[in-house]
Amino acid sequence: MTRRLGFRAVVSNLRAQAQDRFLWVPVFLAAGIAAYFALPVEPDTGTRIAVFAAGFVGGLIWNGPMRAAFLLPMGVAH
């Protein structure tokens, strides 16, 4: 019997591991390093900025309540 995980199941599993989220940092760091060295050419500056911005925005979205706490001093959040 195989169990198929949908997007909601994956998200709920990740939320259940919220207290252990820091333990995933080395995994994602290593994956990013491996992806960088797997590239055939070094990315240009625009690509680097776009990837950084996507990761930054993804981190803000992922953290939910932290997003509002981060944006409040900048006058973005209400």
Side-chain angles (χ1 to χ4, degrees), residues 18-45:
Q19 70 277 6
D20 299 327
R21 197 177 298 162
F22 182 74
L23 298 175
W24 285 97
V25 169
V27 174
F28 290 116
L29 182 63
I33 292 170
Y36 179 81
F37 283 111
L39 294 173
V41 294
E42 190 169 349
D44 61 348
T45 304

Side-chain angles (χ1 to χ4, degrees), residues 30-64:
I33 292 170
Y36 179 81
F37 283 111
L39 294 173
V41 294
E42 190 169 349
D44 61 348
T45 304
T47 305
R48 291 181 195 172
I49 291 171
V51 169
F52 175 78
F56 185 76
V57 170
L60 290 177
I61 292 170
W62 177 263
N63 288 326

Side-chain angles (χ1 to χ4, degrees), residues 3-18:
R3 186 173 154 189
R4 191 169 168 208
L5 290 179
F7 180 74
R8 290 181 186 211
V10 171
V11 170
S12 69
N13 286 338
L14 288 174
R15 286 187 180 165
Q17 295 182 15

